[in-house]
């Protein structure tokens, strides 16, 4: 590869991160090889009749990365830019995520190449049912448990659960998580990713003596996770949200943006752009503004070697999966920026998904208070473990989190007699 060109392929990036962490702990080369590829990749084709009678074919995937620690777990993304490399990378990150926060699950990820914004309700339902029908032998409460991700939601999970239960002829709520609460979803699942990230931010702020009251926060990506993070940081810790963005652009107000007003504006106009009392910026400009906490909460590769040196935040809390490239990681570490790495920072979602699976097995449901108390415990411990591991190996937090995760997955593989 040309030295000048930064690697942006998500799966190659995930392999590079794994390789770097493996080197730090002197992992056997053949064990690295075993960890660097998924167990199984399923590619499917969904052909269906659209509302206007037109026949359309969609391509979908499910990648099952590693099952040593338990049933595999991971969301389903519906996006026009979905592709096999991305699904593979995301399934690897799910494996490290579940291991890092120590929930007894492996990692997987799925996706369909489509633009759900252009589909009717009826077409969305057809697509969801078709997807699960094609995968019905490969998913299940003790095999692989899907969940929402970019552009999928509780309603889509409900259709998928219903289709699966129809096929097997019995109830099986733990086949999927992120369901509506009325159908066995967990209290708190909707806000869980943001909530988990905020517990990490609270801990990181403690470590550097940053008072979160009036701390300046920027959120790149005002979707589900980003908008909940803004409201919770504002309401619970008194943070000042000074900038937010979505795919159409960014807005800034140094006096602070009211998170709920921004959400209402986005729901009405489909973008945060044009929000009253704000100045418009590009997404690139937003990332480089002076602030205390920067939260990338959208897609991959937004902090690269091009802009990492210009990031002024004290803490970068990665609610998105894969927002920072390995080259950018080195620059941030050198500049003393505290990075809360993606598969730690956004593990609140899958942690509450795990609670949802447990509640589904028992048909016994917890209050929101119980869910958040358990989540706080898991996230705080994982954050502390990560920081300590990074210190032990004199490396950055991402490598610290990888080392914890690799050790747990390798240990499970050894105990099973796989290696
Ligand atoms: N899609 C979320 C993630 O990337 C949640 C996965 C899950 O709950 O299984 O972590």
């Amino acid at each position: 590869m040309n030295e000048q060109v930064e690697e942006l392929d998500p799966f190659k990036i995930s392999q590079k991160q794994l390789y770097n962490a493996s080197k730090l702990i002197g992992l056997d080369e053949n064990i690295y090889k075993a960890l660097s590829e998924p167990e199984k990749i399923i590619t499917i084709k969904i052909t269906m009749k659209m509302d206007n009678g037109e026949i359309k074919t969609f391509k979908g995937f499910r990648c099952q990365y590693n099952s040593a620690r338990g049933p595999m777990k991971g969301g389903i993304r519906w996006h026009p830019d979905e592709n096999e490399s991305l699904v593979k990378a995301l399934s690897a990150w799910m494996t490290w995520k579940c291991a890092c926060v120590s929930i007894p699950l492996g990692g997987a990820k799925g996706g369909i190449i489509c633009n759900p914004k252009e589909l009717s309700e009826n077409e969305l339902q057809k697509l969801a049912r078709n997807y699960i029908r094609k995968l019905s032998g490969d998913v299940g409460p003790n095999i692989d448990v899907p969940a929402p991700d970019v552009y999928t939601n509780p309603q889509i999970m409900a259709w998928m659960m219903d289709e699966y239960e129809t096929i097997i002829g019995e109830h099986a709520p733990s086949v999927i998580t992120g369901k509506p609460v009325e159908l066995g979803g967990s209290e708190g699942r909707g806000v869980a990713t943001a909530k988990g990230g905020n517990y990490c931010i609270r801990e990181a702020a403690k470590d550097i003596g940053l008072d979160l009251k009036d701390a300046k926060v920027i959120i790149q990506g005002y979707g589900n996770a980003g908008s909940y993070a803004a409201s919770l940081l504002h309401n619970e810790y008194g943070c000042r949200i000074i900038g937010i963005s979505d795919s159409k652009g960014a807005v800034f107000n140094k006096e602070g943006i009211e998170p709920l007003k921004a959400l209402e504006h986005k729901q009405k106009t489909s973008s945060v752009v044009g929000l009253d009392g704000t100045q418009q910026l590009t997404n690139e400009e937003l990332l480089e503004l002076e602030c205390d906490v920067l939260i990338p909460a959208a897609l991959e590769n937004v902090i690269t070697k091009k802009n990492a040196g210009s990031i002024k935040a004290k803490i970068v809390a990665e609610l998105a999966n894969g927002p920072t490239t390995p080259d950018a990681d080195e620059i941030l570490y050198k500049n003393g920026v505290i990075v809360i790495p993606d598969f730690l920072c956004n593990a609140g979602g899958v942690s509450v998904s795990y609670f949802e699976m447990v509640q589904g097995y028992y048909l016994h449901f917890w209050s929101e208070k119980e869910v958040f108390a358990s989540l706080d415990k898991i996230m705080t411990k994982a954050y502390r473990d990560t920081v300590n591991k990074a210190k032990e190996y004199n490396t950055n937090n991402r490598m610290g989190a990888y080392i914890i995760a690799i050790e747990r997955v390798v240990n499970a593989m050894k105990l099973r007699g796989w290696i």
Side-chain angles (χ1 to χ4, degrees), residues 9 40 76 96 99 103 115 161 166 171 203 270 275 301 316 328 330 349 351-352 358 366 375 413:
D9 175 80
K40 189 170 179 179
I76 302 170
W96 315 129
I103 53 178
N115 186 353
M161 179 191 77
T166 305
H171 282 286
E203 294 305 305
S270 87
L275 178 65
N301 296 337
V316 172
E330 274 178 38
S351 299
V352 176
V358 173
W366 310 353
L375 181 62
M413 289 167 77

Side-chain angles (χ1 to χ4, degrees), residues 73-75 94 97 109 145 147-149 177 189 321 346 349-350 353:
K73 190 81 192 81
M94 283 310 304
K97 190 179 306 192
K109 199 80 177 198
V145 181
D149 200 83
T177 61
R189 177 63 185 82
N321 287 307
N346 67 32
V350 75
S353 275

Side-chain angles (χ1 to χ4, degrees), residues 237-258:
Y237 302 140
C239 294
R240 183 160 30 126
I241 313 300
I242 60 166
I244 57 177
S245 74
D246 56 35
S247 57
K248 301 204 174 93
V251 292
F252 167 71
N253 178 350
K254 71 173 184 330
E255 303 308 329
I257 290 167
E258 185 58 55

Side-chain angles (χ1 to χ4, degrees), residues 62 72-77 90 93-94 97-98 103 105-106 108-109 145-150 152 176-178 189 193 319-321 342-343 346-354 356-357:
R62 185 76 186 166
M72 290 166 286
K73 190 81 192 81
I76 302 170
R77 193 178 272 214
L90 291 163
W93 289 325
M94 283 310 304
K97 190 179 306 192
C98 294
I103 53 178
L105 301 171
K109 199 80 177 198
V145 181
D149 200 83
V150 174
T152 52
I176 207 154
T177 61
R189 177 63 185 82
T193 306
L319 275 190
N321 287 307
D342 51 3
F343 67 72
N346 67 32
V350 75
S351 299
V352 176
S353 275
Y354 161 62
E356 184 173 332
M357 286 170 71

